[in-house]
Amino acid sequence: MIDPALALAALVFDRDGLVPAIAQQHETGEVLMLAWMNRAAIEETLRTGNVFYYSRARRTLWRKGEKSGQTQRLVEFLVDCDGDTILLRVDQHGVACHTGHRACFFRSLRADGLEEIAPVLVPPEELYRN
Amino acid sequence: MIDPALALAALVFDRDGLVPAIAQQHETGEVLMLAWMNRAAIEETLRTGNVFYYSRARRTLWRKGEKSGQTQRLVEFLVDCDGDTILLRVDQHGVACHTGHRACFFRSLRADGLEEIAPVLVPPEELYRN
C-alpha cells in the first residue's frame, strides 16, 4: 500500500476540502467521469485499491459502485503540475455513468444541440434495483 | 459555428460561474490538463475554434497558448450526464503544460512518493521567453 500522506502532501484542496479527480480507463484512454475527492476518499482509495469519491450532493464518502456494483479498481494515481487535479487511471467494471452509459461524456455538441453519441449499455433500473 | 447558447443551456455553473473542463488529445486519448471555463470562455472557444479558459489566479479570460504559442484547437465539445463537467477533445500544438511537459499529469504516485514519468519537451524559459 502507498502511504496516503505522500499524495496528500502534494495536493491543494479547495475551500471545501475537495480536489477534482478525472477517471480514465487505463488501457483505452477513455475519459469515464469526473468526481471529487476529499482526504478520506484518497486514503480509502489508496488503502483498498477501490476508488472512493466524496459526494457533494449527499455530503458523504462514496465507494464507486457501492450501490450499482459498477466498481473502479485503481491502476495509477497521477497528480497534475500544480497539485489541484488528480488523474485516476482505473479499471472500470461495467459502466461508469449512473445513466447506464459506459462514460458520463456521452453528449456531444453539434450544430443542432447536444447529441447522444454512445448507447445505454445497462438500463438504470437494473443498476439500482436494490 | 455552433451556437454557444446550446452549450450554455446544458451546463450547470458553480457558485463562481465556472465549469471544469478536461482537455484530451483527440486521437490518442491522452488527458492533457484540467482548467476552468466561464460563459465567455465557452463562447470564444466555439466562436473561434481555439480553446479559451478562465484563469482563476489572474481572474481573466485566457486563450490557451496566448503567451507560449502552445495552442489548442477544438475538435469536439462534450458535456457530462449532469452538465457540470466539459470534456474538450482537442488538437494540442506542442505541450499543454507550463512546465514544458506534454501533459500536466506527469507525476505518478509510487511507494516512495511522486515520480516524474514524462520528460520536459520544451524548457519553460523557451515557452515564455517574450
Side-chain angles (χ1 to χ4, degrees):
Chain A
M1 174 189 150
I2 295 176
D3 182 355
L6 296 170
L8 297 175
L11 288 167
V12 179
F13 293 85
D14 72 10
R15 58 191 153 174
D16 297 317
L18 303 175
V19 179
I22 302 160
Q24 180 183 36
Q25 179 65 29
H26 69 101
E27 86 285 25
T28 65
E30 185 180 21
V31 175
L32 299 168
M33 58 184 283
L34 181 139
W36 296 79
M37 301 181 93
N38 62 0
R39 288 172 177 76
I42 293 166
E43 288 167 353
E44 288 303 296
T45 297
L46 293 174
R47 189 176 66 79
T48 66
N50 296 308
V51 178
F52 285 69
Y53 297 105
Y54 178 81
S55 167
R56 297 181 300 173
R58 292 183 284 118
R59 297 190 180 186
T60 183
L61 195 66
W62 152 55
R63 182 169 60 78
K64 176 69 180 163
E66 64 187 10
K67 291 186 183 144
S68 66
Q70 313 295 293
T71 52
Q72 288 177 354
R73 289 291 299 171
L74 180 67
V75 174
E76 188 172 12
F77 187 109
L78 298 135
V79 175
D80 81 341
C81 52
D82 48 9
D84 63 6
T85 307
I86 297 165
L87 175 61
L88 302 171
R89 293 177 65 88
V90 303
D91 190 17
Q92 171 70 51
H93 177 74
V95 297
C97 190
H98 73 287
T99 59
H101 294 83
R102 169 72 173 169
C104 294
F105 300 97
F106 57 84
R107 298 188 291 168
S108 177
L109 188 62
R110 304 291 161 87
D112 54 353
L114 288 175
E115 181 181 322
E116 289 209 12
I117 57 166
V120 172
L121 298 180
V122 185
E125 59 270 23
E126 283 186 29
L127 286 176
Y128 301 101
R129 109 168 81 196
N130 296 315
Chain B
M1 174 189 148
I2 295 176
D3 182 355
L6 296 170
L8 297 175
L11 288 166
V12 179
F13 292 85
D14 72 9
R15 58 191 155 174
D16 298 317
L18 303 176
V19 179
I22 303 160
Q24 181 183 36
Q25 180 64 28
H26 70 101
E27 86 286 24
T28 64
E30 186 180 20
V31 175
L32 298 169
M33 58 183 283
L34 180 139
W36 296 79
M37 301 181 94
N38 62 0
R39 288 172 177 78
I42 293 166
E43 288 167 352
E44 288 302 296
T45 297
L46 293 174
R47 188 176 67 78
T48 65
N50 295 307
V51 178
F52 285 70
Y53 298 105
Y54 178 81
S55 167
R56 297 181 300 173
R58 292 183 284 117
R59 298 190 181 187
T60 184
L61 194 66
W62 152 55
R63 182 169 59 78
K64 176 69 180 165
E66 64 187 10
K67 290 186 184 143
S68 66
Q70 314 295 293
T71 52
Q72 288 178 352
R73 288 292 300 172
L74 180 67
V75 174
E76 188 173 14
F77 187 109
L78 297 135
V79 175
D80 81 342
C81 52
D82 48 10
D84 63 6
T85 306
I86 297 165
L87 175 60
L88 302 171
R89 294 177 66 87
V90 303
D91 191 16
Q92 171 71 52
H93 177 75
V95 297
C97 189
H98 73 286
T99 59
H101 294 84
R102 169 73 174 169
C104 293
F105 300 97
F106 57 84
R107 298 188 292 167
S108 177
L109 188 61
R110 303 291 162 86
D112 54 354
L114 289 175
E115 182 181 321
E116 289 209 10
I117 58 167
V120 172
L121 299 179
V122 185
E125 58 271 23
E126 282 186 29
L127 286 176
Y128 301 100
R129 115 167 77 194
N130 296 315

